[in-house]
Amino acid sequence: MSLPLPTETDLLWVNIGSSGLVLPGWENIDRAPIPGAMLCDVRLGLPFRSRSARVVVASHVLEHLHPHTELPKALREIHRILTPGGTVRIAVPDLEVLLRCYMDGDWAPVADSQKELDRYVGVGFDQMPAALRLSAVAFGNASPNSAAYDGHHAVWDEAAMRWILERAGFIEIQRAAVGVSRDPELPKRYTDNWVAQSLIVEAAKA
C-alpha cells in the first residue's frame, strides 16, 4: 500500500545539484556558485531540518558521488530531510542505454550532453572512438561551472539504484516514466532533463 502524500503547504521542494536548472519556488543547491542557488555540497550534509521536505530531486548529480563513501551519506541526508511519505526523484545516466549506444553505434541519445567536451579535453565527442565516447558519458561530465573535467564515480542500472536506496532506508522504489510521479504535483513543477539517456527512479520515506 502506498503511503499518503504530505500536503502541508510549508514543506520544502529541494533541487540538489541545480546547475543551470534553477527552479522557481524550490530550494536550489549546488556546490558551485550558481545565481539563484544556495552554495552547498551535499557530501557535507544538507542545511534543512529533519522532515522538512516534501520532494527532493537530484538530476544527474548522484553519479558524481563515490558509491561507497559519499553517496550513502548523501542519501541518508535526503532521507532525513524528507517528511514521511515524501518523494525523492533521481536521474542518472542509464548503463543499459550507454551499452546500447556502444553496441549499435548510435550515440544520438547521449550526444547532446557532451557538446562542451572539447572545452575540457580538446577533442569533440563526435571525434572520439566508441570506447572513449562510452567512457566520457559513464565516467565524466563536462560542466560549464567546473574548472576541470568533472568525473563520475559509478554507472547505474535499476537494480543497483534499488539496492543503494534500500540500504538508505527508502521504500516504494520504482522506475519512473518521464513526466510521471507518485506525487501528483511534481510534474507541474519540474521537467525531466537528458531524458534519452536517463534512468529515472523514485522512492519514498516511510
Side-chain angles (χ1 to χ4, degrees):
M1 176 182 292
S2 296
L3 293 170
L5 294 170
T7 57
E8 294 86 344
T9 58
D10 59 344
L11 288 174
L12 303 176
W13 294 64
V14 180
N15 178 24
I16 296 176
S18 55
S19 187
L21 299 171
V22 173
L23 302 173
W26 291 62
E27 299 293 331
N28 298 279
I29 67 171
D30 201 282
R31 68 176 183 176
I34 304 289
M38 180 189 310
L39 189 62
C40 173
D41 189 334
V42 67
R43 296 173 298 181
L44 304 178
L46 294 171
F48 308 113
R49 299 190 320 273
S50 297
R51 302 186 174 195
S52 63
R54 171 172 170 163
V55 170
V56 175
V57 164
S59 180
H60 289 270
V61 61
L62 298 186
E63 65 271 21
H64 291 266
L65 306 184
H66 191 283
H68 303 302
T69 60
E70 297 174 332
L71 184 53
K73 178 180 178 181
L75 289 176
R76 288 194 298 270
E77 275 291 278
I78 292 171
H79 189 276
R80 177 186 66 80
I81 70 169
L82 277 173
T83 192
T87 299
V88 60
R89 187 176 182 90
I90 295 167
V92 291
D94 189 335
L95 176 59
E96 293 183 11
V97 171
L98 301 186
L99 293 178
R100 283 198 298 270
C101 290
Y102 177 79
M103 296 303 295
D104 298 343
D106 179 6
W107 295 92
V110 300
D112 281 351
S113 67
Q114 302 298 314
K115 287 181 177 179
E116 298 180 349
L117 185 63
D118 55 353
R119 289 180 48 196
Y120 295 84
V121 299
V123 180
F125 186 71
D126 59 351
Q127 299 172 292
M128 290 182 170
L132 292 184
R133 291 187 190 188
L134 177 64
S135 297
V137 183
F139 301 112
N141 185 15
S143 169
N145 304 307
S146 176
Y149 193 63
D150 189 12
H152 297 175
H153 285 275
V155 289
W156 295 96
D157 63 8
E158 185 176 352
M161 186 57 65
R162 177 179 297 275
W163 179 82
I164 203 161
L165 285 168
E166 286 176 346
R167 289 169 64 88
F170 288 95
I171 62 170
E172 297 185 16
I173 303 164
Q174 299 288 337
R175 186 171 192 136
V178 175
V180 178
S181 174
R182 65 182 299 275
D183 187 315
E185 292 300 311
L186 182 54
K188 302 175 185 177
R189 302 183 59 167
Y190 173 76
T191 302
D192 295 303
N193 53 73
W194 304 125
V195 295
Q197 63 172 280
S198 294
L199 166 66
I200 305 173
V201 174
E202 283 195 346
K205 177 177 178 175

